[in-house]
């Protein structure tokens, strides 16, 4: 593969080249990973700076419907929108339906939009490990807004936040009960909470739910990266396309404030360090899956199963053998 040619085509905004490059960065083959690293390095330092927006919410809350309506509104304004939709993978077969592009039929036909569904595989929070590299590729291709849709809610918010400039949480009216276990973590991470389905019989319920969350947000400790009034809760209707323009106005206002105050660049720098450390951890784990460590680990696992050695002692023995002396923590 001619990496230089592929990079030039991506910088020129060629969709086919972008799709091919994302396939390359998602591959787990060693030769493909080497090519992907070379491509990312070649594109490093491009001038375009997109607004990266992470979006999460419980299944059935209407994430795909919202993204399509929101994306259509942005493309109508002349903006180029990329959607990276992470689809849940089966724990048994490892397969994914990858149906997000089918759900977003209108947006998928828009010439100013690019939709790429990816399998979550086994990664935390349903965020594919190479999604951040796909974000870099879309940004290099000249897209103005990149939407990252993730699977479900929970601990994944930390991972999503480390990929995006803004993090949105989409909720359904009266959907608080199912979120009790993760509510505080979500509230501390979200920049804007959107109560979807604020239409028809649910409009009044959505308004009450929005007021509840707005009150809860005011109780949280103020974050340095937020201007007065943020984070905030809003109501939207993806079906009727109501409230989308206000939501976008709030997003741009928050983004502009962070750029003017230096928080935008500082956040990107912190994210770069976060992913460097994540790559180091992933590299160490990858070594455990290769020989001779793989065989030694299997042998020690059998001893642990038979009760011949404790799990902690076996782990320390393995790490000392292949990584040197392990410091006590």
């Amino acid at each position: 593969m001619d990496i230089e040619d592929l990079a030039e085509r991506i910088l020129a905004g060629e969709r086919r080249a972008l799709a091919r490059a994302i396939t390359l960065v998602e591959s787990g083959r060693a030769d493909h990973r080497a090519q992907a690293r070379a491509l990312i390095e070649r594109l490093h330092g491009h001038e375009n700076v997109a607004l990266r927006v992470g979006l999460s919410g419980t299944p059935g809350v209407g994430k795909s419907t919202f993204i399509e309506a929101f994306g259509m509104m942005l493309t109508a304004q002349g903006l180029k929108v990329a959607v990276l939709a992470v689809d849940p993978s089966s724990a048994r077969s490892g397969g994914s339906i990858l149906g997000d592009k089918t759900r977003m039929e209108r947006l998928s036909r828009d010439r100013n939009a690019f939709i790429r569904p990816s399998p979550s595989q086994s990664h935390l929070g349903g965020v594919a490990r190479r999604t951040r590299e796909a974000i870099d590729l879309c940004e290099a291709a000249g897209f103005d807004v990149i939407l990252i849709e993730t699977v479900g809610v929970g601990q994944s918010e930390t991972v999503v936040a480390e990929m995006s400039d803004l993090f949105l949480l989409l909720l359904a009216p009266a959907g608080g009960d199912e979120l009790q276990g993760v509510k505080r973590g979500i509230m501390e991470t979200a920049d804007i909470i959107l109560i979807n389905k604020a239409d028809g019989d649910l409009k009044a319920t959505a308004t009450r739910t929005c007021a509840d969350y707005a009150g809860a947000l005011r109780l949280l400790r103020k974050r340095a990266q937020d201007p007065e009034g943020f984070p905030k809760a809003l109501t939207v209707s993806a079906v009727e396309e109501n409230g989308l323009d206000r939501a976008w106005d709030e997003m741009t206002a928050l983004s502009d404030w962070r750029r003017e105050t230096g928080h935008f660049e500082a956040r990107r720098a912190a994210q770069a360090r976060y992913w460097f450390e994540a790559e180091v951890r992933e590299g160490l784990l990858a070594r455990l899956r290769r020989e001779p460590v793989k065989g030694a680990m299997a042998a020690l696992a059998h001893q642990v199963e038979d009760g011949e050695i404790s799990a902690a002692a076996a782990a320390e023995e393995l790490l000392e053998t292949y990584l040197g002396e392990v410091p006590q923590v």
Side-chain angles (χ1 to χ4, degrees):
M1 184 180 295
D2 188 338
I3 296 300
E4 183 64 30
D5 176 66
L6 186 60
E8 291 297 331
R9 289 161 56 197
I10 290 172
L11 291 171
E14 188 177 320
R15 290 165 175 265
R16 185 171 296 179
L18 176 59
R20 187 180 182 188
I22 293 178
T23 299
L24 180 66
V25 301
E26 288 179 346
S27 174
R29 280 176 43 175
D31 57 334
H32 287 173
R33 287 305 308 149
Q35 291 178 325
R37 284 193 295 270
L39 178 62
I40 295 295
E41 192 63 27
R42 167 63 181 80
L43 295 172
H44 185 71
H46 60 81
E47 295 182 356
N48 185 52
V49 179
L51 180 62
R52 306 171 182 178
V53 181
L55 177 71
S56 192
T58 51
V61 76
K63 293 190 294 293
S64 296
T65 306
F66 171 80
I67 289 175
E68 179 172 55
F70 186 63
M72 293 294 292
M73 182 194 73
L74 296 181
T75 57
Q77 297 177 16
L79 298 173
K80 293 181 65 179
V81 179
V83 179
L84 300 175
V86 185
D87 214 45
S89 297
S90 168
R92 292 185 177 182
S93 67
S96 301
I97 297 175
L98 301 179
D100 295 274
K101 197 167 185 177
T102 304
R103 294 191 193 102
M104 304 177 200
E105 185 179 356
R106 286 189 304 148
L107 189 61
S108 65
R109 295 197 302 265
D110 195 307
R111 303 183 71 175
N112 283 331
F114 175 83
I115 302 175
R116 175 69 181 221
S118 300
S120 65
Q121 299 171 2
S122 60
H123 305 296
L124 175 63
V127 182
R129 180 188 171 206
R130 299 303 168 189
T131 298
R132 67 182 182 278
E133 293 181 346
I135 293 171
D136 289 338
L137 293 172
C138 290
E139 196 166 53
F143 285 92
D144 301 301
V145 181
I146 302 172
L147 302 173
I148 308 106
E149 178 196 357
T150 66
V151 180
V153 292
Q155 292 182 338
S156 64
E157 278 66 42
T158 301
V159 181
V160 180
E162 294 299 342
M163 290 184 179
S164 54
D165 303 314
L166 302 177
F167 175 65
L168 309 182
L169 177 65
L170 206 62
L171 299 178
D177 289 344
E178 60 186 314
L179 293 169
Q180 290 299 332
V182 292
K183 185 179 294 185
R184 184 167 179 80
I186 291 173
M187 302 273 274
E188 291 175 337
T189 307
D191 293 307
I192 298 176
I193 293 178
L194 299 176
I195 312 301
N196 193 24
K197 304 184 179 181
D199 48 59
D201 295 338
L202 289 175
K203 188 170 184 178
T205 305
T207 302
R208 288 195 299 270
T209 302
C210 182
D212 290 342
Y213 276 95
L217 288 171
R218 285 193 290 270
L219 298 176
L220 296 180
R221 183 181 302 171
K222 184 171 175 58
R223 305 179 303 186
Q225 71 269 27
D226 293 331
E228 191 64 35
F230 284 90
K232 61 178 55 181
L234 306 170
T235 58
V236 295
S237 170
V239 173
E240 295 184 351
E241 300 184 2
N242 290 329
L244 301 180
D245 50 353
R246 186 192 172 192
W248 176 239
D249 288 342
E250 297 289 358
M251 289 181 220
T252 53
L254 178 56
S255 176
D256 290 344
W257 184 87
R258 287 179 175 174
R259 290 175 194 266
E260 292 168 3
T261 56
H263 289 291
F264 189 93
E265 292 77 11
R267 184 176 180 81
R268 289 252 176 136
Q271 288 175 349
R273 176 170 184 152
Y274 175 93
W275 288 114
F276 158 69
E277 295 174 352
E279 282 293 338
V280 173
R281 289 192 296 270
E282 184 63 30
L284 290 173
L285 290 174
R287 291 192 177 190
L288 297 178
R289 297 189 286 268
R290 296 198 298 263
E291 297 295 352
V293 185
K294 183 178 179 181
M297 190 171 179
L300 283 169
H302 284 303
Q303 294 181 39
V304 172
E305 289 176 352
D306 295 337
E308 299 174 9
I309 187 174
S310 70
E316 186 172 355
E317 180 181 332
L318 182 75
L319 294 174
E320 283 183 350
T321 302
Y322 292 100
L323 294 181
E325 184 177 354
V326 180
Q328 298 295 319
V329 292

